[in-house]
Amino acid sequence: MRLFVFLIILCLSGVFSPVMAQKKMPKDAGTLPSGVNRQPATNNPMRRNAPVFPESKKPVDSAALAAASAPIIQAAPAFEQLDSAFISATGRNLIIIRQNNLEGIANDTGKIILAPAYDRVSFFNNKDSSCTRWEGILKVQKGGAVGLIHYNGKPITVLDYQDISLLPASCSGTHPASMVAKVKQLGKFGLINGKGEVLIRPSYDDVLMLADEQGKATNPEIVLVRRQNKYGMMELRNGQVLKTEFERIEFLQHLEKEVKGKTEKELLLRLKINDKYSFLNISSKFQSEPEWDELLAFGSGWAAVRKGDKWGFINEEGKNKISCQYEATLGFRQGGAPVRKNGKWGIINADKKEVFALQADQMEFLVQPESKRRHSDYVLSLVKIERNGKTGVIDTQGRPIIPCEYDSLEYVPRTGGFKVTKDGKEQFVALPDAPAKK
């Protein structure tokens, strides 16, 4: 009985209360430091591991407490958008961005493709919609060094050039070999391909891509190099080269030929060395001897050449066919050539015969060669003539088309005829049908 009373007295006096408290607490509750109260339990997952705070006389700010317990999210840096272009391969816009005076690229979703690390970034094709083969290629510059990168951020070239320039004619090329760019290193120029591979080591005073009369890449594609005012060349598809020894290398023409029922084109270049001209057929690799003072394009298998002040004609093998005896010529077209001798114009054929006597005061083709694609062979064969103050039209076979009786005559293609004047009156004359072939 005495023991029972003694235990009751001890409990009432608080001797066993800490022990009882510990038994009631969860095992993982731990011990709080002095002066800190445990926060009430909560079901908020953001608050389960919330920090505890010392006792304070001020009420607890629940908003501040929630902010302090939330995970830290870093705000996206602000970029300045400098330029953009649509990239068809991705279906998205590519954006040039700038931050802290450095430039990079991102897409229109805000994804950073290339972190700002360059002094300058630009679209290599200058956003020219006609130059799609260079679409999505960017030129980057850092500390005076230039390179090319792909729209996905992958480098194409090393960042090691003074400059990389677009060759406009390369935009019109269709063969992979024609996708080339000019590079500058140590003050000299060379050539790389679209993969960044060096085709011509930077060692020349200039590098340029040969263009035809329409400013497009030739077929096959030709690159010219210049060193000390002498030119050489490299054919990009097969690697055919000419040494750097020519004073000029120029596009002469794309010569069309019928081969087994198909039209094929051969590329001809005009070369000048030691002040004399020759021609090179890139397709057949035939090169004539340099012996003429001037050389015109071929027509009907013949090319006009000049020696001294007289003109004659050669064939595609470079052989003289009509001796240099004429004062001027317009060249062969549709089987005949207007020529001038003793101040009078006439027309000769490939057999050296005069199909129109040397009696006209002036001759000129009705349409020019660069307009060839817009006119029929018949129209291309027409020659406007002037004689004794009157004008008319004949063809290169010497046959009359419009009588030589008008004071003035102007061909108007959209009307299919001529605006002429006679005795002070203006009238319209339709173009007759082509004469029947003999």
Side-chain angles (χ1 to χ4, degrees):
M1 184 68 180
R2 291 179 180 178
L3 178 60
F4 178 75
V5 173
F6 178 73
L7 290 174
I8 292 175
I9 294 172
L10 288 177
C11 289
L12 293 174
S13 64
V15 172
F16 288 108
S17 60
V19 175
M20 299 298 292
Q22 285 182 349
K23 289 181 179 180
K24 292 178 181 180
M25 292 173 62
K27 294 181 180 180
D28 60 346
T31 304
L32 298 177
S34 175
V36 178
N37 292 330
R38 182 175 299 278
Q39 300 297 314
T42 176
N43 291 326
N44 185 349
M46 298 296 296
R47 294 292 305 277
R48 289 177 183 170
N49 298 318
V52 294
F53 296 88
E55 288 181 333
S56 173
K57 294 181 180 180
K58 297 180 180 179
V60 175
D61 186 340
S62 59
L65 186 63
S69 61
I72 297 175
I73 301 176
Q74 189 174 4
F79 295 107
E80 178 185 0
Q81 296 186 11
L82 301 179
D83 200 359
S84 65
F86 181 76
I87 308 301
S88 56
T90 63
R92 295 191 175 278
N93 285 315
L94 192 67
I95 303 169
I96 298 175
I97 58 176
R98 179 165 61 194
Q99 185 185 47
N100 299 326
N101 292 323
L102 294 176
E103 299 180 7
I105 56 175
N107 64 22
D108 53 11
T109 67
K111 179 181 178 181
I112 305 302
I113 298 173
L114 190 67
Y118 297 94
D119 299 329
R120 179 169 171 75
V121 178
S122 59
F123 294 105
F124 189 58
N125 69 347
N126 298 313
K127 300 198 297 183
D128 183 352
S129 59
S130 66
C131 193
T132 56
R133 68 185 333 188
W134 288 104
E135 181 185 271
I137 305 301
L138 296 107
K139 179 178 175 179
V140 296
Q141 180 178 346
K142 185 173 184 179
V146 173
L148 294 181
I149 62 171
H150 198 261
Y151 63 80
N152 59 14
K154 293 182 180 180
I156 296 174
T157 72
V158 293
L159 195 67
D160 194 36
Y161 295 105
Q162 286 177 269
D163 197 13
I164 303 177
S165 303
L166 178 72
L167 296 170
S170 73
C171 294
S172 60
T174 56
H175 194 278
S178 65
M179 190 172 177
V180 292
K182 179 166 70 172
V183 294
K184 183 180 182 181
Q185 194 173 50
L186 301 177
K188 296 295 183 180
F189 294 94
L191 195 76
I192 61 172
N193 63 17
K195 299 178 181 179
E197 299 166 337
V198 176
L199 300 179
I200 299 176
R201 185 172 55 87
S203 59
Y204 293 92
D205 299 332
D206 200 6
V207 172
L208 58 152
M209 197 166 186
L210 191 64
D212 61 16
E213 71 276 6
Q214 297 178 344
K216 297 182 178 181
T218 58
N219 182 15
E221 299 79 9
I222 301 291
V223 167
L224 305 181
V225 295
R226 177 173 60 84
R227 180 186 289 156
Q228 297 179 353
N229 294 322
K230 298 290 185 181
Y231 289 87
M233 63 132 256
M234 181 173 119
E235 191 267 291
L236 292 175
R237 298 189 190 185
N238 300 311
Q240 183 180 354
V241 298
L242 288 178
K243 293 181 180 179
T244 313
E245 59 184 11
F246 295 89
E247 293 144 30
R248 297 178 73 174
I249 300 178
E250 304 168 322
F251 169 78
L252 182 61
Q253 68 188 116
H254 281 124
L255 187 63
E256 293 187 353
K257 288 188 174 182
E258 291 293 328
V259 180
K260 296 181 179 179
K262 295 182 179 180
T263 301
E264 295 184 358
K265 287 185 177 181
E266 296 183 349
L267 174 61
L268 272 62
L269 305 183
R270 178 165 43 212
L271 314 176
K272 187 177 183 181
I273 186 171
N274 298 325
D275 211 32
K276 297 294 182 182
Y277 282 99
S278 65
F279 69 90
L280 168 65
N281 187 321
I282 292 292
S283 304
S284 68
K285 297 181 173 56
F286 172 78
Q287 182 176 343
S288 67
E289 293 296 325
E291 55 180 296
W292 302 292
D293 297 313
E294 198 166 345
L295 168 70
L296 302 184
F298 282 87
S300 302
W302 303 78
V305 293
R306 179 175 61 84
K307 277 189 176 183
D309 59 356
K310 300 297 182 182
W311 288 84
F313 297 89
I314 61 172
N315 64 11
E316 295 172 14
E317 296 175 350
K319 297 179 179 179
N320 288 300
K321 287 299 181 180
I322 299 178
S323 62
C324 293
Q325 57 183 293
Y326 300 101
E327 299 159 0
T329 181
L330 302 180
F332 265 88
R333 193 187 293 185
Q334 304 300 318
V339 295
R340 188 182 71 197
K341 191 173 185 179
N342 299 324
K344 293 295 182 178
W345 286 84
I347 293 181
I348 61 172
N349 64 16
D351 295 324
K352 309 179 187 179
K353 295 179 179 179
E354 291 182 7
V355 293
F356 187 86
L358 296 162
Q359 56 185 353
D361 300 316
Q362 184 62 48
M363 283 188 177
E364 62 179 285
F365 283 119
L366 204 61
V367 294
Q368 299 305 312
E370 55 267 23
S371 301
K372 182 178 179 181
R373 291 300 180 187
R374 297 198 298 265
H375 300 288
S376 66
D377 289 345
Y378 170 46
V379 173
L380 287 169
S381 73
L382 300 182
V383 180
K384 178 181 175 181
I385 67 169
E386 293 182 13
R387 183 173 59 190
N388 301 325
K390 299 297 181 180
T391 184
V393 177
I394 62 174
D395 67 8
T396 50
Q397 298 302 310
R399 296 172 294 195
I401 304 298
I402 301 293
C404 192
E405 59 185 30
Y406 296 99
D407 300 319
S408 67
L409 180 147
E410 179 186 354
Y411 179 56
V412 185
R414 61 183 177 82
T415 65
F418 301 86
K419 183 172 69 175
V420 299
T421 57
K422 184 177 182 181
D423 300 329
K425 294 181 180 180
E426 186 176 296
Q427 56 183 297
F428 173 79
V429 176
L431 176 64
D433 293 335
K437 294 183 178 180
K438 294 180 181 181

